[in-house]
Amino acid sequence: MKPFGQVTSKTVAVPTTNVDTDQIIPARFLTTTDRDGLGDAAFRDWRFDQDGNSLDHPINAINPDTHAILVAGDNFGCGSSREHAAWALDAFGVRAVISTSFGDIFKSNALKNGLLPVEVDEATLDLLMKEPNRELTIDLEEEEIRFGNHVVAFATEPFARRCLLQGSDPLTVLLDAVPDIETFEREHGRAS
Amino acid sequence: MTGKTLFEKVWERNLVRDEAPDSPAILHVGLHLIHEVTSPQAFQVLAERGLKVRRPDLTLATIDHSVPTLPADTEGRLPYATPAAENQVATLRTNCSVHGIELLDLDDPRRGIVHMVGPELGRTHPGSVVVCGDSHTSTHGAFGALAFGIGTTEVGHVLASQALFQRKPKTLRVMFKGETAPGVTAKDMALAVIARLGMDGGTGYVLEYAGDAVRALSMEGRMTLCNLSIEAGARAGMVAPDETTFDYLRGRPGVPDDWQAAVASWSELYSDHDAAFDHEITIDAAAIAPMVTYGVSPHEAVPVTAQVPDATDANASAALDYMGLAGGADLSAIAVNRVFVGSCTNGRIEDMRQVADLLRGKRVADHVRMLVVPGSAAVKQQAEDEGLDKIFLQAGAEWREPGCSMCIAMNGDKGDPGEVVVSTSNRNFRGRQGEGVRTILASPSTAAASAVVGRLADPRSIEVTA
Ligand code: SF4
């Protein structure tokens, strides 16, 4: 799995709340059978009109080398379970998303793809919204974000955090548990 | 000692390993449903790692999202929207055959939307864990299963192990007091819940729907209710199984061989009277009216008799702009371009009957295009056996082959930019039914009434001819 330790980059602020995964990647791009190549589809209908002409939108500032942190309104990534949303954000150049809350399934998907969802309180989000284009560091080891003289703590599910820091794959850990799964199936009359 | 909630009982029945501070629980999966859109990359991971599907017998595949709802041409070719869509279906076929997974293929009379087929085949069991790479997996909670959507990486986990890492969610009981009024459906109950909780009010919770109004619902209605749990952010919604549940399941092919033992065990699945929930809300069922959405998120819902609420912040006014609506306008003044009846929310036989009741002997308004898409081949057959297709066609609606269709608009069925679509599906997100399309979510009855009137309409205002 793609590891995540820390990232230092500038922010791109999009105050829209409830950004659903249909906005992150519209359904018409879901006929792919690959994980790769979805960067162009990210926020497609925010970035281009129906004739393919570019639109003015703050999201256009995302750049993996300079602006890899997205600051978004409450409840980012709600809606559909499509993991394509995490793949598209990653390919588009987003390394981390900061918001007050996330859609459950999106959060779980992001964590499995080296894309860090960072939950902060409203006051911190307001501060970051007011001043976009600000350099900050997200440190997963310390579970804190640092900018100017601010240090803000955040929490990440411990198992996901460990996997991200080590770049280890949760599937390997799950497969180690197969003997227990087999025992469970035998004891509960669910063996094949 | 306090009692246990329905959720806790089901959680414990499927717990391979309990959670610890540094590791989530491992849950056993009783039914893994897969479809063409969210599975190919999971099979890719299996191939890369040389892994097999551990329990093909607990896995069931169907084709629903990308398929055309128009019939094949004279040469037998289906009108796929794109070659990629056709390739996705072919990929699922290959993956299922390589791994020995049962696939309900296009010519299979049992095929349908993924959340239709589990219950129809009796494969959705009370007390089990049901997962699928699809957020509306919550539908199966209507049977007292713990059912939730997962991402594609997790689809791979379940294929490889038949288990899943999971943190224990919190519980929220939605208690309906009293009975619903005539003309009010499960869809209206669900939209009322979402409007109350907000779009993320359910995040981190499993909802349990309870109260007389829930008990009075058919399984179809309970599925509609649980289906929409995710639209309030909840991953799962549940209803305790009862006689209605057992009556629905009895005799279906996928139920356990020892039916008596199964029913005895399922009968223990209810929240004890002294069970504690992390949160509880009460909803006055009698006060619920037919509900419609006016914004770009399902929680932006009000009674069809109301006015468009004024925007209170920038996000709300952007939503109204997108919808082409102004605060204070009468909802019943909204002109409708299209009506879509279908989806895993409202593509069941009961929904078809409700629509037929309102369309019988009437015509869809001239400027409205109405699409009726059964959720499964079984629903299609049943509706045709009852002659409902004739009613739809005579009214000027289209009657299609089963699939997700305009719910997600990735198979070519979609609206045009700027059009208003009254839809029985589950998401009114920007662009969900086609770029620039304005979606209004409603019950099948409200959708049918709106088709006839040509404007958003209260189904209670339409006279039903027998
Ligand atoms: S009908 Fe809609 S919500 Fe249901 S599975 Fe299909 S696309 Fe998803």
Side-chain angles (χ1 to χ4, degrees):
Chain A
M1 197 176 79
K2 190 170 153 184
F4 188 105
Q6 68 170 47
V7 60
T8 299
S9 187
K10 286 190 172 165
T11 58
V12 173
V14 175
T16 311
T17 56
N18 300 321
V19 174
D20 56 78
T21 53
D22 275 78
Q23 307 310 307
I24 302 173
I25 179 168
R28 60 185 186 279
F29 298 105
L30 303 187
T31 50
T32 176
T33 53
D34 288 320
R35 274 159 291 181
D36 303 328
L38 293 174
D40 282 347
F43 298 111
R44 186 74 194 189
D45 296 342
W46 290 8
R47 294 161 57 213
F48 298 94
D49 70 11
Q50 279 134 23
D51 303 318
N53 305 310
S54 305
L55 296 171
D56 234 5
H57 195 286
I59 199 73
N60 289 323
I62 290 288
N63 179 320
D65 302 320
T66 58
H67 292 76
I69 299 173
L70 174 60
V71 177
D74 308 341
N75 198 27
F76 184 85
C78 56
S80 156
S81 63
R82 60 189 71 166
E83 195 159 325
H84 309 70
W87 300 329
L89 284 172
D90 177 57
F92 187 47
V94 178
R95 295 292 320 276
V97 186
I98 302 178
S99 181
T100 53
S101 60
F102 292 91
D104 231 0
I105 312 179
F106 172 79
K107 181 157 78 178
S108 155
N109 288 339
L111 289 167
K112 292 180 181 68
N113 287 281
L115 172 72
L116 193 69
V118 180
E119 252 170 42
V120 297
D121 57 67
E122 224 166 287
T124 305
L125 193 77
D126 282 349
L127 203 63
L128 293 173
M129 280 295 175
K130 271 192 211 108
E131 250 185 80
N133 201 27
R134 127 187 249 161
E135 183 159 291
L136 60 78
T137 295
I138 301 175
D139 185 337
L140 181 60
E141 180 73 58
E142 300 299 329
E143 291 191 290
E144 60 188 31
I145 59 179
R146 299 186 286 269
F147 55 99
N149 45 21
H150 298 271
V151 178
V152 181
F154 66 92
T156 305
E157 196 283 310
F159 177 68
R161 175 171 169 269
R162 197 171 73 224
C163 289
L164 280 170
L165 288 172
Q166 298 170 351
S168 58
D169 188 343
L171 178 55
T172 309
V173 187
L174 191 56
L175 290 173
D176 287 343
V178 164
D180 289 355
I181 299 167
E182 284 170 347
T183 307
F184 175 91
E185 288 174 346
R186 266 197 312 279
E187 288 174 354
H188 291 78
R190 297 191 202 170
S192 53
Chain B
M1 211 182 91
T2 53
K4 288 178 180 160
T5 62
L6 165 64
F7 160 75
E8 282 162 336
K9 291 179 183 179
V10 178
W11 175 266
E12 284 171 9
R13 281 189 184 196
N14 297 285
L15 201 55
V16 174
R17 193 188 286 171
D18 211 347
E19 64 180 348
D22 63 348
S23 69
I26 297 179
L27 284 186
H28 190 260
V29 173
L31 175 64
H32 185 198
L33 295 158
I34 60 173
H35 60 83
E36 73 275 23
V37 178
T38 57
S39 66
Q41 297 87 351
F43 283 108
Q44 234 175 54
V45 170
L46 258 59
E48 282 161 17
R49 301 186 51 152
L51 295 166
K52 288 198 297 222
V53 174
R54 216 188 128 246
R55 295 293 302 268
D57 58 319
L58 301 181
T59 312
L60 178 65
T62 190
I63 305 169
D64 52 7
H65 286 66
S66 313
V67 285
T69 53
L70 288 166
D73 64 14
T74 46
E75 272 132 56
R77 283 192 64 84
L78 282 168
Y80 279 98
T82 59
E86 185 160 15
N87 175 54
Q88 202 168 46
V89 170
T91 304
L92 180 64
R93 230 172 245 141
T94 309
N95 285 328
C96 287
S97 105
V98 166
H99 292 278
I101 295 168
E102 184 179 10
L103 169 68
L104 307 175
D105 210 330
L106 294 178
D107 54 359
D108 195 310
R110 302 169 302 163
R111 184 185 70 86
I113 301 173
V114 68
H115 309 308
M116 303 283 300
V117 298
E120 283 175 354
L121 296 175
R123 295 284 297 265
T124 298
H125 297 170
S128 66
V129 170
V130 179
V131 297
C132 173
D134 191 286
S135 59
H136 293 97
T137 308
S138 57
T139 311
H140 307 262
F143 292 81
L146 175 59
F148 52 91
I150 56 178
T152 294
T153 299
E154 288 182 319
V155 170
H157 291 184
V158 180
L159 289 173
S161 72
Q162 203 56 32
L164 194 63
F165 284 121
Q166 197 66 19
R167 284 283 173 194
K168 192 175 182 179
K170 293 179 289 182
T171 53
L172 191 165
R173 179 157 61 185
V174 179
M175 180 58 85
F176 287 91
K177 289 274 191 245
E179 301 284 346
T180 51
V184 171
T185 67
K187 179 65 162 285
D188 304 308
M189 292 166 71
L191 288 173
V193 172
I194 301 162
R196 170 79 170 275
L197 283 174
M199 206 172 174
D200 58 356
T203 303
Y205 292 100
V206 166
L207 310 185
E208 180 180 343
Y209 300 100
D212 293 343
V214 176
R215 289 284 139 231
L217 289 174
S218 64
M219 287 316 295
E220 283 80 1
R222 293 179 191 183
M223 284 190 254
T224 300
L225 187 59
C226 289
N227 172 280
L228 287 158
S229 305
I230 180 76
E231 308 311 335
R235 235 171 163 176
M238 302 174 87
V239 173
D242 59 11
E243 282 307 317
T244 305
T245 320
F246 309 144
D247 286 346
Y248 177 97
L249 287 173
R250 189 176 292 115
R252 295 195 185 253
V255 299
D257 293 336
D258 192 343
W259 174 254
Q260 296 301 337
V263 170
S265 154
W266 296 341
S267 300
E268 292 164 19
L269 298 170
Y270 52 83
S271 288
D272 295 327
H273 68 91
D274 54 346
F277 291 82
D278 295 299
H279 189 44
E280 181 153 27
I281 62 168
T282 303
I283 291 187
D284 180 2
I288 300 173
M291 299 285 286
V292 293
T293 60
Y294 58 88
V296 295
S297 146
H299 78 278
E300 292 168 321
V302 288
V304 65
T305 47
Q307 281 81 37
V308 177
D310 287 320
T312 47
D313 61 28
N315 282 296
S317 67
L320 290 188
D321 280 352
Y322 181 85
M323 293 299 293
L325 296 174
D330 279 335
L331 285 162
S332 56
I334 299 175
V336 172
N337 303 105
R338 277 179 209 255
V339 170
F340 169 66
V341 173
S343 87
C344 61
T345 307
N346 281 126
R348 299 188 183 78
I349 189 64
E350 203 170 81
D351 305 312
M352 301 296 135
R353 289 179 188 141
Q354 285 168 10
V355 170
D357 279 346
L358 280 146
L359 291 188
R360 194 174 286 115
K362 298 190 183 64
R363 289 285 305 171
V364 170
D366 283 342
H367 64 279
V368 176
R369 186 164 171 196
M370 182 175 189
L371 209 61
V372 185
V373 183
S376 69
V379 168
K380 180 164 191 268
Q381 186 61 52
Q382 174 79 26
E384 291 177 358
D385 289 349
E386 296 180 17
L388 307 183
D389 57 323
K390 304 255 171 1
I391 297 172
F392 303 145
L393 292 167
Q394 276 161 13
E398 290 175 62
W399 175 240
R400 295 286 186 92
E401 296 298 316
C404 296
S405 183
M406 274 188 75
C407 173
I408 189 161
M410 61 181 290
N411 74 330
D413 298 346
K414 56 179 183 149
D416 292 329
E419 282 190 335
V420 172
V421 180
V422 179
S423 179
T424 68
S425 55
N426 40 60
R427 286 183 175 141
N428 51 342
F429 297 158
R430 290 178 175 87
R432 172 85 176 184
Q433 297 192 296
E435 290 158 80
V437 171
R438 297 154 167 170
T439 300
I440 293 177
L441 300 178
S443 74
S445 304
T446 304
S450 304
V452 170
V453 175
R455 281 175 287 106
L456 196 55
D458 185 337
R460 298 169 301 184
S461 68
I462 307 282
E463 204 183 319
V464 174
T465 31

